[in-house]
Amino acid sequence: MTQFVKARWLAIVAITVVLCGAGSPAFAVRFDPRSTSSDALSQSVGQNTSSASPEQQQPKAYTLPPDKEARAIAYAHSRHELYFLDFLFTTVGLILLIQLGVGPWLRDWAERISRRRFLQAVIFAGVFFILLGLLGLPAAAGSHWLARYYGQSVQGWASWFWDSIKGGVVGLILAVVLVWLFYGLVRRSPRRWWLYAWLAALPILIFLIFVEPLVLEPLFFRFTPLASTDPQLADALERVVQHAGQNIPANRMYLMNASSKLNALNAYVTGIGASERVVVWDTTIAQMTTPQILFVFGHEMGHYVLHHIRNGILFGAGVLLIFLFAGFQALHWALRRFGGVWKIRGADDWASLPVLIFILFIFNFIFTPIDNAFSRHIEHQADQYGLEVVHGIVPDAPQVAAQSFQILGEVDLDEPSPSTVVKIWFYDHPPINERILFAQTYDPWDKGDSPEFVKQ
């Protein structure tokens, strides 16, 4: 998930009853510590500070040795198959929950135990979201198995399970509170709850994005100020910041101990306002030279300077409004036609939650290509910003970027030539090959043009 996808995933939590599971058909109610890795917000960069030979000046495509290429293709195909199997499993599971009357049964049980709405929400939502988490468990475990088998993860199963428990507990607490608030809105405004839920979701979303780097991410990884762990690198990054005429304080640059669980390379921007920061994985620092890391930082700085988190929130807010209104219409249609058979009293009935989630789960699945297109757009902008901001600082920056994308692809086992359909449906970043070719051919300075983002 890119930072935008992460923001929309937090919007799901903020309006759990409406978008639970968006961004992944796994439907697990949890904060996944691997999300920033599947997000892969940065897609790292850079190599080689020496002058390039004539051969190096020719654009070179992303390639892998035959054995590694076969392995990368097998890994990609396995993940794609798991994605659709998970979607099918979750879809069938939700339909069964609805047809078997699990919602009405949980509602009746909760109402027998207490007349207090909040306690009913704890009982109903607590049990129901645990069931949803169990629906997503096979795919989550399968994804972790694939990551271990293909060398992307070194995290043991006990550690993975403990992370899942921690994320599940946090997600479950949020889900219970938000379900309670949501159905309070539905009861008070049967015709406009979709609008009020959207208005309520926005500040909750912003709050969750704000606290994520402060409270949530440290549950899974350790973060240390980059200036205290690698002051020379911090100084080099500060020169890039000054070169761009920006102000990113050293106390907003962090190192994450990704190597405790992962082999993949990454960096990302997280938080908002006073909590916004750039995070670099220690795996990236271990496997890349200083010029390469400067380009990685330049890419992440692009997200920071170009306000991609803010833009993602605005885009996600628009999508959320459409989903809520469409969900309102579809829910009322479904209840008019099948409510009696399903034993659901109305939209304000706890038992309507599985139907609402199923409707918006399908909406989100259909929306995936648009989501990915937006994400690829902002990632391309960040690539462009990274090239512009290190121009004049990193010698032969285009080749540094291209060679480092090659390194990234080799480490992360990126598929060399994904089909157009695969790109549209699965890629929230431009494919590595496109990024390599762009890095080698983007040169406004040689044409006498002014760069788009970094005016020098």
Side-chain angles (χ1 to χ4, degrees):
M1 188 175 9
T2 61
Q3 186 62 34
F4 159 67
V5 177
K6 184 190 294 184
R8 193 162 62 84
W9 187 83
L10 287 171
I12 295 158
V13 178
I15 193 68
T16 307
V17 297
V18 180
L19 292 179
C20 179
S24 168
F27 242 78
V29 185
R30 56 193 285 264
F31 284 92
D32 189 346
R34 278 287 286 154
S35 63
T36 54
S37 133
S38 63
D39 297 350
L41 179 59
S42 79
Q43 304 272 7
S44 319
V45 276
Q47 166 82 13
N48 196 344
T49 60
S50 62
S51 298
S53 65
E55 296 97 21
Q56 289 176 312
Q57 297 299 336
Q58 298 299 319
K60 294 181 179 180
Y62 169 59
T63 58
L64 292 173
D67 58 335
K68 182 167 284 190
E69 179 176 352
R71 190 169 172 81
I73 292 173
Y75 183 40
H77 289 180
S78 297
R79 286 184 288 118
H80 300 163
E81 291 168 3
L82 180 62
Y83 171 89
F84 286 112
L85 286 173
D86 182 33
F87 173 77
L88 179 62
F89 183 75
T90 301
T91 301
V92 172
L94 280 170
I95 291 173
L96 287 175
L97 289 177
I98 295 169
Q99 293 295 335
L100 294 176
V102 173
W105 182 84
L106 285 176
R107 173 203 63 206
D108 294 343
W109 181 43
E111 290 177 346
R112 283 197 302 269
I113 293 176
S114 176
R115 292 185 176 181
R116 298 173 68 91
R117 294 285 294 178
F118 182 73
L119 290 179
Q120 291 177 6
V122 171
I123 297 167
F124 181 91
V127 175
F128 183 73
F129 281 109
I130 288 174
L131 291 175
L132 292 186
L134 292 176
L135 280 180
L137 186 59
S143 178
H144 183 61
W145 184 89
L146 286 174
R148 284 171 54 86
Y149 181 79
Y150 285 98
Q152 299 302 296
S153 173
V154 295
Q155 185 179 21
W157 283 102
S159 173
W160 176 85
F161 186 73
W162 175 235
D163 279 351
S164 300
I165 293 294
K166 288 187 292 184
V169 169
V170 173
L172 190 60
I173 292 171
L174 284 170
V176 167
V177 173
L178 294 170
V179 166
W180 173 62
L181 293 173
F182 175 79
Y183 275 95
L185 288 174
V186 177
R187 287 166 66 88
R188 286 169 174 75
S189 182
R191 293 182 177 274
R192 293 187 176 85
W193 59 257
W194 57 273
L195 177 61
Y196 297 136
W198 178 72
L199 293 173
L202 297 181
I204 296 173
L205 166 62
I206 293 171
F207 173 75
L208 289 175
I209 294 176
F210 178 83
V211 302
E212 181 188 9
L214 304 176
V215 178
L216 303 179
E217 291 179 353
L219 292 174
F220 308 106
F221 292 99
R222 186 178 69 252
F223 297 83
T224 54
L226 188 59
S228 65
T229 56
D230 195 334
Q232 290 185 334
L233 177 59
D235 290 342
L237 297 181
E238 183 59 30
R239 288 196 295 273
V240 176
V241 173
Q242 294 174 356
H243 181 67
Q246 298 294 326
N247 178 30
I248 302 179
N251 61 6
R252 293 202 178 193
M253 304 177 192
Y254 284 84
L255 179 69
M256 187 182 95
N257 69 327
S259 60
S260 64
K261 300 175 183 178
L262 306 168
N263 288 325
L265 311 181
N266 198 12
Y268 63 96
V269 173
T270 186
I272 191 172
S275 73
E276 191 170 22
R277 60 195 60 195
V278 176
V279 177
V280 181
W281 291 11
D282 61 352
T283 51
T284 303
I285 290 180
Q287 299 196 45
M288 291 191 171
T289 64
T290 297
Q292 296 168 354
I293 296 170
L294 293 184
F295 184 79
V296 175
F297 179 75
H299 173 103
E300 297 312 319
M301 188 176 164
H303 288 303
Y304 188 100
V305 173
L306 300 177
H307 306 294
H308 284 163
I309 293 179
R310 179 204 63 191
N311 297 345
I313 291 173
L314 293 175
F315 183 79
V319 172
L320 184 60
L321 180 61
I322 294 171
F323 276 24
L324 282 168
F325 180 71
F328 166 79
Q329 299 290 343
L331 178 65
H332 280 269
W333 174 86
L335 294 184
R336 282 196 304 269
R337 185 161 185 175
F338 305 108
V341 176
W342 293 337
K343 299 179 181 178
I344 300 174
R345 303 165 187 160
D348 61 346
D349 185 354
W350 299 118
S352 69
L353 180 60
V355 180
L356 184 58
I357 287 180
F358 174 76
I359 290 169
L360 289 137
F361 174 66
I362 298 300
F363 285 176
N364 184 76
F365 179 77
I366 296 170
F367 180 77
T368 296
I370 300 174
D371 180 0
N372 286 341
F374 178 84
S375 178
R376 288 195 301 270
H377 169 69
I378 64 175
E379 292 300 332
H380 176 73
Q381 283 189 328
D383 284 347
Q384 181 178 335
Y385 186 95
L387 287 165
E388 292 179 6
V389 79
V390 299
H391 178 74
I393 297 180
V394 174
D396 201 12
Q399 290 302 317
V400 168
Q403 293 165 7
S404 294
F405 279 130
Q406 174 73 33
I407 294 172
L408 175 73
E410 292 180 3
V411 173
D412 289 357
L413 282 182
D414 277 359
E415 189 177 10
S417 302
S419 68
T420 301
V421 173
V422 167
K423 172 185 171 181
I424 290 172
W425 200 269
F426 290 101
Y427 275 66
D428 54 21
H429 287 66
I432 286 289
N433 191 53
E434 291 183 11
R435 305 177 85 178
I436 287 177
L437 295 178
F438 175 75
Q440 295 175 97
T441 56
Y442 180 69
D443 189 5
W445 304 275
D446 187 57
K447 301 175 183 177
D449 298 333
S450 175
E452 182 177 359
F453 300 123
V454 183
K455 309 298 183 181
Q456 300 167 357

